[in-house]
């Protein structure tokens, strides 16, 4: 069982930056950030294997950065140049095994943290 707790969401203006954090109860090789906007399906933002090799979704590539601290069992999402369309609930996720790009099989989830971007 992996427990995940996100923090760092908030309300910002377009163009601002935010950093999300995820604290995991144990080390997990595969971790990811997903997001879900109102009325839309949940989408993957980025997944990461170990502490490197991120696999980015198309919507944020180049604006966000991911980092993983395996000593602290922590995952971070640095979000830059935020756009209104980045408004969503962001979820930290994890899965056992090594197929980190199999995004449909992530089965451990945090409670989510809200990010709201306004003009």
């Amino acid at each position: 069982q992996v427990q995940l707790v996100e923090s760092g969401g908030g309300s910002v203006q377009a163009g601002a930056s935010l950093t999300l954090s995820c604290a995991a109860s144990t080390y997990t090789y595969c971790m990811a950030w997903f997001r879900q906007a109102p009325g839309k399906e949940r989408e993957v933002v980025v997944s990461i294997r170990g502490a490197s090799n991120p696999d980015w979704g198309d919507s944020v590539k180049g604006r966000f950065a991911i980092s993983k601290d395996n000593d602290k069992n922590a995952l971070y999402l640095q979000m830059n140049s935020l756009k209104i369309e980045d408004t969503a609930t962001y979820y930290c996720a994890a899965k056992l095994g090594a197929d980190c790009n199999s995004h449909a099989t992530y089965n451990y989830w945090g409670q989510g943290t809200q990010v709201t971007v306004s003009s």
Side-chain angles (χ1 to χ4, degrees), residues 3-54:
Q3 295 177 327
L4 304 167
V5 179
E6 304 99 333
S7 61
S11 297
V12 298
Q13 290 191 319
S17 298
L18 273 177
T19 299
L20 304 183
S21 300
C22 174
S25 59
T26 187
Y27 170 77
T28 309
Y29 182 70
C30 296
M31 297 190 74
W33 287 100
F34 289 75
R35 68 184 185 183
Q36 187 167 20
K40 295 188 177 181
E41 293 188 354
R42 186 168 56 197
E43 64 173 351
V44 61
V45 176
V46 60
S47 60
I48 188 167
R49 291 167 279 171
S52 60
N53 299 315

